[in-house]
Amino acid sequence: MTCLCVSLSRFQQFQVFSHHSSQQRPMEPGAWDNRTAVTEFILLGLTENIRLQPILFAVFLFAFVITVGGNFSILATILVEPKLHTPMYYFLGNLSLLDIGCITVTVPPMLACLLTQQCRVPYAACLSQLFFFHLLAGVDCHLLTAMAYDRYLAICQPLTYSARMSREVQGALVGLCCTISFINALNHTVAVSVLDFCGPNVVNHFYCDLPPLFQLSCSSIHLSGQLLFVGATFMGVVPMILISVSYAHVAAAVLRIRSAEGRKKAFSTCGSHLTVVCIFYGTGFFSYMRLGSVSASDKDKGIGILNTILSPMLNPVIYSLQNPDVQGALRRVLTGKRPPE
């Protein structure tokens, strides 16, 4: 499911919450003993309108089934088609797994809440959802960076591409993406777990995330805010810079190709990835700019829907729409035909 744009949005919200908390009066002596510890959170979900909830349930259930089915189809196609056993499709297969994970972490609990018309989430379950969401979203960010590096090597360094993008390197890149994201998600989860929640427990969101939990905390969120700033840098800004630099080199190399057919072929190899990157980052930027007139929590809902549902649902379509290799292999998988020798 969320990186640079979401991180910037969250960091701005942290500044607002931090300023608000700094103006709160300190607790009087003995108040800590009289407070009530929060053991569960109540998620408001997408809407409190009972008439809209069945419609939203049907819409998001359909989106969930389409997303999981589409990404599993892409993954199965890559596994059974020898022609697709290349670094680019190795990363694409991992991206499909991440898309399935991201939407599974957020949408099924939301569907359960819409179905029961109430959503009480235990404290531990909320932290677990927070951890896995940030883990998967973070790996997604860095995996898109690894895919951009792969396209850079394939187009700008074709003679050494096989050596530089060996199976060992591919595995190391995915492992590095997972390690960085794990550390980031663990830091955020631990930082939230040490906060005190002693007042309201109503979260204006459809899943547990940092900004609404910060807003409910009755203790200082300064450390959490510092970690959020560092996370926004390593999980959003740095990947975006690396992707931009990679494609700047790719564009320069392609423009040096004299034939129009050669340029078209070179651009077609990275067009799908560029489209996914634009959707992944662009939806957040679009939401952040367009939803400036609503409250922070409602803004985060819009960003959450676009990045946890829209992007994973569109990825299989994008990678198969203009790729004859994937289209042919996907047809063989769906019809049960064996790949050509």
Side-chain angles (χ1 to χ4, degrees), residues 187-238:
N187 283 337
H188 285 318
T189 306
V190 171
V192 172
S193 68
V194 298
L195 295 178
D196 294 304
F197 297 95
C198 48
N201 65 338
V202 178
V203 179
N204 187 16
H205 213 318
F206 63 92
Y207 64 91
C208 293
D209 202 5
L210 293 173
L213 293 180
F214 283 166
Q215 196 172 19
L216 296 178
S217 175
C218 56
S219 58
S220 174
I221 57 174
H222 178 73
L223 176 60
S224 298
Q226 297 299 317
L227 290 174
L228 183 59
F229 177 77
V230 174
T233 301
F234 282 98
M235 308 306 292
V237 177
V238 172

Side-chain angles (χ1 to χ4, degrees), residues 30-266:
W32 292 98
D33 298 329
N34 297 327
R35 64 182 180 168
T36 302
V38 171
T39 59
E40 66 177 10
F41 294 101
I42 300 175
L43 302 183
L44 293 183
L46 294 175
T47 179
E48 296 181 79
N49 189 326
I50 297 179
R51 293 182 179 179
L52 285 178
Q53 289 179 357
I55 299 174
L56 292 176
F57 177 84
V59 170
F60 288 111
L61 177 62
F62 176 77
F64 176 75
V65 172
I66 291 297
T67 301
V68 173
N71 281 287
F72 266 127
S73 297
I74 292 291
L75 185 60
T77 301
I78 294 173
L79 290 175
V80 304
E81 179 64 40
K83 193 175 182 180
L84 301 182
H85 293 173
T86 63
M88 181 175 70
Y89 293 107
Y90 170 78
F91 291 126
L92 177 57
N94 282 276
L95 185 65
S96 295
L97 282 176
L98 289 172
D99 287 339
I100 294 170
C102 280
I103 199 169
T104 302
V105 166
T106 56
V107 173
M110 179 187 69
L111 293 175
C113 294
L114 289 172
L115 193 62
T116 60
Q117 298 181 356
Q118 62 177 351
C119 197
R120 295 181 177 272
V121 181
Y123 178 83
C126 188
L127 290 187
S128 298
Q129 187 181 49
L130 175 74
F131 171 79
F132 284 108
F133 175 76
H134 280 269
L135 173 65
L136 295 170
V139 177
D140 211 333
C141 279
H142 289 285
L143 189 62
L144 289 174
T145 308
M147 295 173 75
Y149 176 65
D150 171 71
R151 292 299 84 206
Y152 160 75
L153 290 180
I155 295 175
C156 300
Q157 308 287 337
L159 298 180
T160 58
Y161 174 67
S162 298
R164 293 191 179 188
M165 194 52 71
S166 62
R167 290 191 176 183
E168 291 76 14
V169 173
Q170 297 170 40
L173 287 174
V174 172
L176 182 62
C177 294
C178 294
T179 302
I180 295 174
S181 301
F182 176 83
I183 294 173
N184 177 70
L186 185 63
N187 283 337
H188 285 318
T189 306
V190 171
V192 172
S193 68
V194 298
L195 295 178
D196 294 304
F197 297 95
C198 48
N201 65 338
V202 178
V203 179
N204 187 16
H205 213 318
F206 63 92
Y207 64 91
C208 293
D209 202 5
L210 293 173
L213 293 180
F214 283 166
Q215 196 172 19
L216 296 178
S217 175
C218 56
S219 58
S220 174
I221 57 174
H222 178 73
L223 176 60
S224 298
Q226 297 299 317
L227 290 174
L228 183 59
F229 177 77
V230 174
T233 301
F234 282 98
M235 308 306 292
V237 177
V238 172
M240 193 62 192
I241 291 175
L242 294 176
I243 291 172
S244 300
V245 171
S246 296
Y247 275 108
H249 285 285
V250 169
V254 171
L255 291 176
R256 287 196 295 266
I257 300 176
R258 295 185 177 182
S259 66
E261 185 66 25
R263 287 195 297 268
K264 182 179 179 180
K265 184 178 179 180

